[in-house]
Amino acid sequence: MSRKAAAAIRLLVLDVDGVMTDGRLHFGPRGEALKVFHVRDGFGIQQVRKAGIHVAVISGRQSPMVTARCRELGVRHVIQGQVDKLAAFERLRARLDMSPSACACVGDDTPDVPLMRKVGLAFAVADAHPDARSVAHVVTSLAGGRGAVREVCDYLLSSRARKWVDPQRQKSVHHPKRTFSR
């Protein structure tokens, strides 16, 4: 079911702390001082955007670092400081005119569970809380902030790729759309 659902995804919703970052919060004397994002996650986000999948960030916290990172990646739908992520998602979904089945999300903890239950395809990062893991359709092999978002992006993109069956091996083999020669 997951691969079939992945091919229909038009919106990917990401949590920040614990998904785009490793979940640790670094505070200095003036408040939050640092968030660390994985460069491969950023590349994955750019690739799904190029493939026509909208990307949104819905976070319970407010952070200028998230705003800056999302701007850098071209993520236009950035909703921060939202305790009720499901309500924020419903407003965004209505504005984009998308059904829940055309949406995927990535979560890591209990506040993400209502949203994860609503979407067509829910991912939990490898180090997610058991509440999030229990409702996920797919659990990544990588942890939050350590490439999990890239893994999700690759999953979505590979589900859209053309495939063919090799009769010698009787299994699906990725068939690239382009080949390059020297």
Side-chain angles (χ1 to χ4, degrees):
M1 175 208 140
S2 299
R3 286 287 178 181
K4 187 174 181 181
I9 297 303
R10 296 176 37 223
L11 172 64
L12 173 60
V13 178
L14 303 170
D15 179 30
V16 176
D17 297 314
V19 171
M20 292 178 71
T21 73
D22 66 8
R24 294 183 297 163
L25 301 174
H26 301 268
F27 282 90
R30 294 189 184 118
E32 191 175 51
L34 179 69
K35 282 194 186 289
V36 178
F37 300 95
H38 202 294
V39 69
R40 284 192 302 243
D41 289 346
F43 184 76
I45 289 168
Q46 291 174 328
Q47 294 306 300
V48 295
R49 286 187 55 250
K50 285 179 185 174
I53 298 172
H54 295 270
V55 178
V57 167
I58 301 177
S59 178
R61 298 178 51 82
Q62 185 82 33
S63 170
M65 288 161 270
V66 172
T67 303
R69 181 64 172 151
C70 289
R71 184 181 309 116
E72 178 182 56
L73 296 173
V75 176
R76 294 189 339 217
H77 310 289
V78 181
I79 306 165
Q80 298 187 72
Q82 296 294 307
V83 175
D84 187 347
K85 294 180 183 184
L86 180 57
F89 166 72
E90 290 293 2
R91 289 189 299 274
L92 175 62
R93 186 180 69 76
R95 194 170 70 233
L96 296 175
D97 191 30
M98 290 188 194
S99 70
S101 63
C103 303
C105 75
V106 188
D108 74 304
D109 208 344
T110 307
D112 302 317
V113 168
L115 174 56
M116 293 173 76
R117 284 188 172 133
K118 182 74 175 188
V119 298
L121 185 56
F123 294 86
V125 296
D127 58 338
H129 187 276
D131 289 351
R133 291 175 66 96
S134 70
V135 298
H137 298 107
V138 179
V139 174
T140 65
S141 63
L142 297 171
R146 305 237 184 244
V149 172
R150 173 64 180 272
E151 187 177 334
V152 169
C153 293
D154 289 349
Y155 186 97
L156 295 175
L157 293 170
S158 71
S159 71
R160 293 175 163 215
R162 293 184 302 166
K163 295 192 177 205
W164 62 285
V165 175
D166 180 345
Q168 300 299 318
R169 292 194 218 149
Q170 292 297 308
K171 70 177 190 178
S172 182
V173 177
H174 178 70
H175 180 65
K177 292 182 181 179
R178 293 185 234 174
T179 56
F180 299 94
S181 59
R182 294 180 190 235

